[in-house]
Amino acid sequence: MSTLDQALIGNCGYAALISRQAEVTWACLPRFDGDPVFCSLLGSPQAGSGYGRFAIELERLARSEQEYVRNTAITVTRLYDADGGAVEVTDFAPRFEQFGRTFRPMMLIRRVRRLAGSPLIKIVVRPVFDYGKTRPSITQGSNHVRFVGPDGVLRLTTDASITAIADETSFILEDELTLVLGPDETLPHSPGETGAQFYEHTCTYWQEWVRSLAIPFEWQEAVIRAAITLKLNTFEDTGAVIAAATTSIPEAPESGRNWDYRYCWLRDAYFVINALNRLGATKTMENYVRYIINLVATNSENGLRPVYRINGRADLHETIADSLPGYRNMGPVRVGNQAYEQRQNDVYGSAILATAHLFFDERLRRRGDESVFRRLEELGEQAVAVYLDPDAGPWEFRGFEKVHTFSTAICWAAARVLGAIADKLGFGERAQYWRSRAEEIAEAIKEQAWNEQRQSYVASFGGDDVDASLMLLYEWGFLEAGDPRLASTVKAVEEELRTGDFLYRYVHEDDFGRPHTAFMTCAFWYVDALAAVGREDEARRMFERLLESRNHVGLLSEDIDPLTGELWGNFPQTYSMVGLINSAMRLSKSWEEGL
C-alpha cells in the first residue's frame, strides 16, 4: 500500500520520491511537470502490472531505515534481511558548481553497497511513458540498457550485470555497484567513478548551501530540512516555484479532492520566497523575481492568472489520466489544473509583495528601479480595480465566488508596499497616491469583513464563516499584536476550526462537501497568531507537537487526518514547509539567549 513515508531528492530541475523500501515511486522527467516515468505511488499503470517502478529489492526483507545525509538532499536507505544480510542504497540527483555555473543534469544516481552478510537482491527498472499508457521498447549495450519511449530515450548505465537487470534475476551483492539513469548519452567515466565523484560534489554543494542560511537557534534540523525541501521545489532554469512535486494525492480518502500541484501558483510562491529570504537564500528569490517580471511583461494587458507552468505558460487545461488508478486506487489522476481559469484577485498582491524585495534588500545583485516600479504599478492598478470583486479565494472554490477577505487584504498589502517603494525611489506624489488607495481598501475591510455579532473578522464580506487565512491579517500588518480584534478573531477561529493541534481551512461545505482533513500550514499560521496575542507558551507547545507530525525524514504534505495523524494531499507541500520555517523563526530563542 502506498504511503507518504517518502524522501524527496532533486536538483532544481526535476524531483523524485524514494520510499522506505528503496523504490523510486515518483519521478517526472525531464522536469517537474513532465511525464511520470516512475509512478507506482499512483498505483500500477495500464501499461502493465508492476511497471512504473525503479526498485532495489532485497530477498527476505525484514526491516528498513531511511535518512538524509546530514544537511543534503541525498537519501540513504538501509535494507536488512532475515538472515543478517544488509544493503545500503544511496540516492541523489547531481547538483554542483562546475565551470562557473551550476551543473544539474537530468540524472538519477543510485549507489548500492553491501553492509553485511550475503544479501540477495534484484534490480527492477520498469519505466513507463504517456502517464502509464506505454511500455518502453528496450535495447541493451555492454554496460547500459536503453528504454525507448514515444518521445525520448532513457539510458541506464551501470557496472551491474546487464543480464540481471534486463531479466530481473536475483544475485548476491558482493561489494558495491552504481546505476546512473539519465539521457541517452555515454558517460565520460565509469559508472562507479561518476557516482563517487558526483556524490562528493553534490554533498559539498548542499552542505555549503546550508552553511549560508541564517537559521534560528532552536529547531535547526527541522528548519534546515524544510529549507532544502523548498529549494528542491524551485525550477532554477526559469525561477518558477512549484507547489508540490506530485499530482492527485487525495486531500482525504475517497474525497475526489485530487489536484495536480506541479505548477507555480503566484500565491504559494510568494510565501516560499518570503520564507527563503528570511533564511538568507537570496539567489532563489532573485530567480523567482525574474520569473515574475517576465510574467508581468507578457501578461500585464490581460491580467495575471493564479497559476502557470514552470515555463511561464498558462496552458493548464485539466484532463484525467485514466491509465493510472490513483493513490491507493483513489482516482482520478489529474493532469493540469483548471484553477488557471479562475478569478483569484490575490494574484496581483502576491506578485507585488514578492518583487518588492528588489527595492529593500541591499544584499541583492539586481536592485529595483523605476522601470520595475512602473510595471508593479500596473499590477497595483489591477489590484485596486478588483479588490471588491468576488473571486474563488485562496481555497480555489470551483462552485461559487465571494468577496474574500484574504484577497482584499493582500490587495491592501500590495498598495501599502507600493507606497513604500515610491517613497524609497523619491516619488512623493505616487507614494501619497498608493497610501490613499491602501487606506481606501483598509476601510472596506474594516466595514465589510468585520462581523460584530461574532466579534471577528470573517472569511468573506458580509459573511458569517471564518477561515484560517484570517490569521494572515497579522502577518501582513493589517492587525497589530495588541489589537483586541486580533485576539477576538483568533478566538473565533480556534473555536470553529481547531481540532486538537490542527486547524481546518474552513468547515462549511464546498464543491465536494465538508473537509475531512486539516490543512497543515493553517496550524502554523495559528501558532504565529497565538504568539502575537501573548499566548507564546501555548504556541511553543503546539509547534513542538506539529513537528511530530512530520514523516520519518522531516517532510510534510498538504493535509493531515487530525484523528490518526496520517498525512494526505500532495507531497511534500511547500506551503506546509513554509509554515514550519516561519513559526520556528518567530518562536525561537535568540542565539544570545540560547548560548
Side-chain angles (χ1 to χ4, degrees):
M1 183 177 70
S2 295
T3 74
L4 296 183
D5 287 338
Q6 311 272 339
L8 178 75
I9 65 169
N11 61 6
C12 303
Y14 85 95
L17 294 178
I18 315 296
S19 76
R20 295 182 83 159
Q21 290 73 43
E23 178 177 336
V24 181
T25 62
W26 185 256
C28 295
L29 299 174
R31 63 188 198 192
F32 295 117
D33 57 354
D35 194 11
V37 296
F38 300 116
C39 52
S40 59
L41 185 68
L42 297 186
S44 185
Q46 178 180 300
S49 178
Y51 270 77
R53 305 177 60 223
F54 188 178
I56 310 298
E57 296 182 351
L58 177 65
E59 295 288 333
R60 292 173 52 79
L61 177 67
R63 65 183 179 92
S64 66
E65 57 190 33
Q66 187 177 58
E67 63 187 1
Y68 280 104
V69 176
R70 181 175 176 269
N71 294 352
T72 75
I74 301 171
T75 63
V76 175
T77 309
R78 299 181 186 91
L79 307 176
Y80 300 88
D81 66 25
D83 304 311
V87 300
E88 179 181 85
V89 183
T90 301
D91 289 299
F92 66 98
R95 178 180 173 86
F96 49 87
E97 298 301 318
Q98 180 175 261
F99 307 127
R101 56 187 178 180
T102 304
F103 178 64
R104 40 179 168 75
M106 188 200 74
M107 183 182 290
L108 169 63
I109 297 181
R110 314 200 74 185
R111 305 176 74 198
V112 187
R113 181 168 68 97
R114 184 183 70 88
L115 293 179
S118 299
L120 184 65
I121 69 168
K122 180 193 296 182
I123 300 173
V124 177
V125 191
R126 299 179 184 174
V128 288
F129 298 95
D130 294 334
Y131 285 85
K133 292 180 182 177
T134 308
R135 295 188 193 184
S137 58
I138 298 174
T139 63
Q140 300 177 32
S142 58
N143 298 106
H144 70 264
V145 181
R146 297 170 74 247
F147 303 93
V148 183
D151 297 316
V153 179
L154 289 175
R155 179 193 288 241
L156 178 70
T157 306
T158 183
D159 46 18
S161 163
I162 296 299
T163 300
I165 292 173
D167 296 347
E168 294 184 2
T169 55
S170 299
F171 61 93
I172 298 292
L173 180 65
E174 297 178 347
D175 189 14
E176 181 174 335
L177 56 85
T178 301
L179 302 111
V180 180
L181 182 72
D184 190 23
E185 300 170 359
T186 302
L187 293 181
H189 304 288
S190 70
E193 184 179 355
T194 299
Q197 289 183 358
F198 284 12
Y199 172 86
E200 292 298 330
H201 294 332
T202 300
C203 191
T204 298
Y205 169 84
W206 285 110
Q207 290 176 345
E208 288 299 311
W209 186 81
V210 167
R211 283 184 62 196
S212 71
L213 298 178
I215 58 175
F217 180 78
E218 296 180 89
W219 308 298
Q220 292 184 29
E221 180 276 330
V223 170
I224 289 170
R225 182 52 48 202
I228 292 174
T229 304
L230 294 187
K231 177 75 171 175
L232 290 177
N233 280 277
T234 63
F235 186 60
E236 191 169 65
D237 187 58
T238 64
V241 179
I242 62 170
T246 59
T247 179
S248 303
I249 309 297
E251 293 181 11
E254 304 292 358
S255 65
R257 300 173 188 263
N258 302 16
W259 316 115
D260 191 349
Y261 276 11
R262 299 171 297 158
Y263 311 113
C264 183
W265 271 259
L266 302 191
R267 174 179 55 251
D268 299 45
Y270 152 66
F271 284 102
V272 170
I273 293 306
N274 235 23
L276 287 174
N277 193 50
R278 285 173 177 165
L279 294 172
T282 57
K283 186 176 179 180
T284 303
M285 182 185 69
E286 288 179 294
N287 285 340
Y288 177 67
V289 169
R290 169 169 51 90
Y291 178 80
I292 284 290
I293 290 174
N294 285 331
L295 283 184
V296 173
T298 55
N299 294 279
S300 58
E301 291 186 5
N302 299 320
L304 292 178
R305 295 183 182 270
V307 55
Y308 291 88
R309 290 190 179 275
I310 58 178
N311 62 8
R313 294 179 180 174
D315 52 335
L316 286 168
H317 177 68
E318 192 173 289
T319 59
I320 303 299
D322 293 324
S323 49
L324 291 172
Y327 184 78
R328 300 186 188 174
N329 293 316
M330 297 178 190
V333 172
R334 289 187 169 93
V335 179
N337 199 303
Q338 216 63 32
Y340 86 99
E341 292 184 334
Q342 289 183 346
R343 174 167 35 204
Q344 295 181 30
N345 297 333
D346 63 279
V347 293
Y348 306 107
S350 298
I352 291 168
L353 294 179
T355 310
H357 291 282
L358 289 180
F359 298 89
F360 300 103
D361 196 328
E362 297 289 344
R363 297 170 297 175
L364 303 185
R365 182 174 299 174
R366 176 181 178 178
R367 302 303 312 283
D369 55 20
E370 182 177 354
S371 66
V372 175
F373 174 62
R374 297 304 180 193
R375 289 196 181 278
L376 294 186
E377 282 201 299
E378 293 177 16
L379 295 182
E381 292 293 356
Q382 290 173 304
V384 168
V386 301
Y387 79 87
L388 286 176
D389 291 350
D391 72 349
W395 314 123
E396 301 185 339
F397 298 120
R398 295 195 169 198
F400 57 87
E401 292 185 339
K402 295 181 179 181
V403 181
H404 286 94
T405 304
F406 172 93
S407 301
T408 305
I410 201 169
C411 289
W412 166 82
R416 188 178 68 152
V417 80
L418 284 172
I421 293 171
D423 265 336
K424 179 83 170 177
L425 296 176
F427 301 151
E429 183 179 339
R430 300 308 296 165
Q432 179 56 40
Y433 170 80
W434 287 112
R435 281 195 292 267
S436 68
R437 302 319 300 264
E439 291 169 5
E440 170 192 326
I441 300 172
E443 285 304 311
I445 297 171
K446 292 173 184 176
E447 292 175 8
Q448 300 186 58
W450 175 258
N451 186 303
E452 188 66 26
Q453 184 176 357
R454 298 204 64 171
Q455 285 295 293
S456 172
Y457 281 99
V458 287
S460 60
F461 281 20
D464 297 312
D465 297 316
V466 297
D467 76 358
S469 72
L470 296 169
M471 300 296 89
L472 295 171
L473 295 176
Y474 166 71
E475 166 80 15
W476 293 326
F478 185 83
L479 294 176
E480 296 182 357
D483 192 325
R485 290 194 171 195
L486 174 60
S488 60
T489 299
V490 170
K491 182 179 179 182
V493 166
E494 65 189 0
E495 288 176 352
E496 185 166 313
L497 304 183
R498 182 173 177 178
T499 298
D501 293 319
F502 305 105
L503 234 68
Y504 289 94
R505 292 170 288 183
Y506 49 85
V507 292
H508 60 77
E509 288 196 2
D510 60 17
D511 317 285
F512 295 84
R514 290 183 178 272
H516 295 291
T517 51
F519 204 67
M520 279 303 312
T521 197
C522 295
F524 293 114
W525 293 349
Y526 175 65
V527 163
D528 296 342
L530 285 179
V533 298
R535 297 162 61 180
E536 188 160 338
D537 289 343
E538 185 180 350
R540 288 178 63 89
R541 288 193 297 271
M542 184 171 177
F543 179 70
E544 292 276 9
R545 293 193 294 269
L546 289 174
L547 290 182
E548 296 173 2
S549 302
R550 298 176 299 154
N551 77 357
H552 64 294
V553 289
L555 305 184
L556 288 168
S557 64
E558 180 183 48
D559 306 275
I560 190 167
D561 186 321
L563 299 179
T564 67
E566 184 174 8
L567 297 176
W568 288 88
N570 281 307
F571 176 88
Q573 178 76 6
T574 54
Y575 240 168
S576 302
M577 308 309 285
V578 164
L580 186 159
I581 290 170
N582 289 343
S583 293
M585 298 284 280
R586 289 192 172 102
L587 294 176
S588 175
K589 298 175 184 176
S590 69
W591 283 81
E592 290 75 18
E593 292 174 311
L595 293 175

